[in-house]
């Protein structure tokens, strides 16, 4: 079994859904049993949500501003 620390890059990969199924299972088990790791993953998910790119921009220039 892997031993995760708070600065392990696998936490970020886990939060962003970038691990393979075996790694997901291993990381999820440790995250569930460690409040510090859980808080770190929750924070990473929140940060990712802030920076998600929408399909349509929320703000755009009007034609006269583009000119």
């Amino acid at each position: 079994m892997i031993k995760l620390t708070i600065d392990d890059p696998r936490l970020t990969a886990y939060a962003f859904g970038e691990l393979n199924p075996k790694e997901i299972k291993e990381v999820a088990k440790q995250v569930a049993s460690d409040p510090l790791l859980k808080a770190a993953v929750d924070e990473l998910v929140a940060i990712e949500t802030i920076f998600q790119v929408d399909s349509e921009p929320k703000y755009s220039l009007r034609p006269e501003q583009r000119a």
Side-chain angles (χ1 to χ4, degrees), residues 3 8-10 12 14 17-18 21 24-27 31 34-36 40 42 44 50 54 56 58-59 62 65:
K3 178 62 179 156
D8 194 310
R10 289 175 287 195
T12 303
Y14 173 75
E18 299 172 347
I24 290 171
K25 187 176 179 179
E26 291 176 4
V27 172
V31 167
D34 186 326
L36 188 59
D42 290 346
L44 288 164
I50 291 169
D54 293 333
E56 289 186 33
K58 292 181 182 177
Y59 304 101
R62 295 186 306 269
Q65 290 173 314

Side-chain angles (χ1 to χ4, degrees), residues 30-62:
Q30 287 192 50
V31 167
S33 66
D34 186 326
L36 188 59
L37 295 178
K38 170 90 170 81
V41 169
D42 290 346
E43 186 176 326
L44 288 164
V45 169
I47 291 168
E48 180 193 29
T49 302
I50 291 169
F51 289 104
Q52 283 181 347
V53 178
D54 293 333
S55 59
E56 289 186 33
K58 292 181 182 177
Y59 304 101
S60 61
L61 296 174
R62 295 186 306 269

